[in-house]
Amino acid sequence: MPNIVFTDNTAQVVGLLEQEAIAFLYEAGNELLSEVRRNSRVDTGQTKNAWELVVDEISLTAIVGNPMENAIWEEFGTGEYAVNGNGRQTAWKYKDRHGKWHTTTGKKPNRTLTKSFNKVKPKIARRLQQMG
């Protein structure tokens, strides 16, 4: 009977797969991050410059987000323009950063994150297929 030696390379293979998955998450996440920054409306630049990518290498997830409150308003709108129709339906006044008062019925959504994701999704899917 021949002497068969079995070598278990499972740990190395899993490690390489995880490394490739993490590299892909950074690549795809940065692609989306770049597109979001390109599509952001700019007044002061605070919201545009606050977009960030976080990759959780344990759960293998990538998150592109923005901690600025204005990012929510840019994405979903406010007042009569709110995407889900749940915005304030009466006008209100606010003072801008220059001290000038304005009356508004809301802010139209830009859908920055949604539009950016929809644009880069096919490119990311193609890249994943190339890696497969």
Side-chain angles (χ1 to χ4, degrees):
M1 181 171 233
N3 189 11
I4 297 174
V5 177
F6 176 74
T7 305
D8 185 357
N9 293 315
T10 304
Q12 293 90 333
V13 170
V14 168
L16 288 172
L17 287 171
E18 286 177 347
Q19 287 176 7
E20 288 296 314
I22 290 167
F24 173 75
L25 288 172
Y26 279 102
E27 184 179 338
N30 279 309
E31 187 71 34
L32 178 57
L33 181 62
S34 295
E35 189 66 26
V36 168
R37 287 180 176 161
R38 276 192 294 274
N39 291 327
S40 291
R41 287 193 280 210
V42 179
D43 182 13
T44 66
Q46 287 180 321
T47 303
K48 177 180 182 171
N49 294 326
W51 287 101
E52 53 191 38
L53 166 65
V54 176
V55 174
D56 184 332
E57 296 182 4
I58 303 300
S59 66
L60 296 177
T61 56
I63 299 168
V64 172
N66 193 315
M68 303 290 294
E69 185 176 29
N70 187 54
I72 297 168
W73 301 339
E74 285 290 315
E75 187 68 22
F76 297 107
T78 64
E80 65 182 36
Y81 304 107
V83 169
N84 296 321
N86 58 351
R88 182 177 176 169
Q89 300 301 308
T90 58
W92 67 93
K93 293 182 182 205
Y94 71 95
K95 190 189 311 187
D96 68 18
R97 68 180 183 279
H98 304 293
K100 184 177 176 185
W101 283 94
H102 302 270
T103 301
T104 185
T105 56
K107 181 177 195 173
K108 292 181 179 178
N110 193 34
R111 304 298 284 173
T112 305
L113 188 56
T114 301
K115 289 176 183 176
S116 297
F117 176 75
N118 289 337
K119 183 173 181 184
V120 300
K121 184 179 176 182
K123 182 177 182 181
I124 291 171
R126 280 192 305 275
R127 177 65 179 126
L128 186 58
Q129 285 180 335
Q130 290 172 351
M131 294 175 76

